[in-house]
Amino acid sequence: MKAAINVDDFRELARRRLPRLVFDYLEGGADDELCLRRNRAAIEALHLRPTLLQDVSTIDTSVELFGRRLPLPIAVAPTGLNALIWPDGDLALAH
C-alpha cells in the first residue's frame, strides 16, 4: 500500500491490521454515536486555505496551558484500552 498521507489512509491501514472487534471499538462512538457524527461533520466543514511561499522561520506554535508553556498545542485526552491497539499503548501515549 502507498504511504499514508491522510486520516482515511491511516484508517484503512488500521482496518487491515487490527482484529475487527478492536477496529470497531476504535472507530466507533458512545451510545447512538450522535456526538461522533457531529464531530465528523464539524471537521468536514472546515476548509483549509494553504498559502505558498510564506516565511515560517519565526512561527511560534507554543501555548500556555495550566501555567506551563507547551511547544505544540497537542494533548491526549483520557482514553481507554490503548493496549488493544498497540502494545503498552498507555505508556506510548504518555511518552
Side-chain angles (χ1 to χ4, degrees):
M1 181 174 185
K2 65 180 181 170
I5 59 170
N6 59 39
V7 172
D8 289 327
D9 291 345
F10 282 106
R11 182 179 291 121
E12 180 59 21
L13 288 172
R15 187 189 64 76
R16 290 180 182 189
R17 180 177 179 156
L18 297 171
R20 171 124 192 216
L21 178 69
V22 175
F23 178 77
D24 288 348
Y25 167 78
L26 178 64
E27 182 72 0
D31 296 325
D32 60 2
E33 298 187 336
L34 178 60
C35 185
L36 178 65
R37 289 194 304 272
R38 287 180 177 166
N39 286 342
R40 284 188 176 154
I43 290 171
E44 289 172 3
L46 295 175
H47 298 280
L48 300 179
R49 293 181 16 202
T51 56
L52 303 174
L53 302 174
Q54 298 292 311
D55 180 13
V56 295
S57 62
T58 60
I59 289 179
D60 179 14
T61 60
S62 67
V63 295
E64 185 172 325
L65 182 64
F66 305 122
R68 286 185 65 190
R69 196 103 188 118
L70 302 174
L72 192 62
I74 295 177
V76 177
T79 56
L81 302 176
N82 297 306
L84 280 177
I85 299 157
W86 195 260
D88 294 323
D90 293 313
L91 294 174
L93 284 172
H95 286 288

